[in-house]
Every structure is written in structure tokens, then in C-alpha cells.
Amino acid sequence: MYQLDFTERGVRLMDAYVKLSERKLGWFALTMGIQNRMFGFEMPQSSGVRETPERGRMSQILFPNERDLGAMLTVNPHKFSRLHSLRLDLMMVNG
């Protein structure tokens, strides 16, 4: 995924990451690059999905840029598994 932000101030790189998925079970995925931080409930959601268009004050203070360089391992069992309600995101970021 490669996403640019074009504004009157110039061009800025928003997202640039690669997502590798395991195909045999379909449970595991590894995402590496510049991406949203997976912290709490509010950070990974877009403004179109949240109740308010603006993020909370705590999120604005702790994460002013919202994105960081890092890698994330996702474990998400398929819906036919007994563990289908479990989702685990483990992320290691630079900042």
C-alpha cells in the first residue's frame, strides 16, 4: 500500500507498507512499513467510522502524527475456529 497526501503545503507520504499473509491456515499476517499505530480503540479507526470526526485530546497529545515506522504481527483465526472471537495485534514501532 502506498498513500500520498496532497495539500497546499506540499506532498506528504501517509502510508507505505507491505502486508504478507500466511495462506495455509489464513490466521497470520505480517505488516511492515509506515502505518497507523495500533493503540487503543480510537487510533486504528478512520474518521468516517468514529462517533466524532476528531480524535480525543489524549490521542492528539500522545500521537500527533498518528503514523510510525514499524512491523505488526496479526493473529486472526477464521470464523470456523473455536477461537474466532480472538484477534491479536502485536506491533513494534520506531517512536
Side-chain angles (χ1 to χ4, degrees):
M1 162 116 176
Y2 190 77
Q3 180 180 356
L4 296 173
D5 184 24
F6 294 95
T7 63
E8 67 278 353
R9 289 183 246 144
V11 179
R12 183 173 69 130
L13 180 65
M14 292 292 286
D15 291 321
Y17 61 84
V18 174
K19 184 174 184 176
L20 305 170
S21 299
E22 177 266 328
R23 292 187 182 252
K24 188 170 183 176
L25 291 174
W27 284 29
F28 303 100
L30 179 66
T31 309
M32 300 173 289
I34 299 172
Q35 57 190 324
N36 266 342
R37 295 181 185 116
M38 292 298 191
F39 182 83
F41 182 71
E42 186 178 62
M43 291 302 292
Q45 289 186 332
S46 70
S47 59
V49 179
R50 291 190 312 262
E51 291 84 15
T52 60
E54 199 171 300
R55 299 200 190 281
R57 187 68 180 138
M58 184 269 320
S59 298
Q60 292 175 1
I61 292 171
L62 290 177
F63 308 109
N65 192 10
E66 297 181 18
R67 285 160 172 72
D68 207 349
L69 178 66
M72 178 175 62
L73 175 67
T74 303
V75 179
N76 192 10
H78 53 76
K79 63 182 176 181
F80 302 113
S81 171
R82 297 168 93 203
L83 301 172
H84 73 278
S85 60
L86 173 74
R87 178 183 169 134
L88 176 67
D89 289 322
L90 178 66
M91 186 171 205
M92 180 181 274
V93 292
N94 186 31

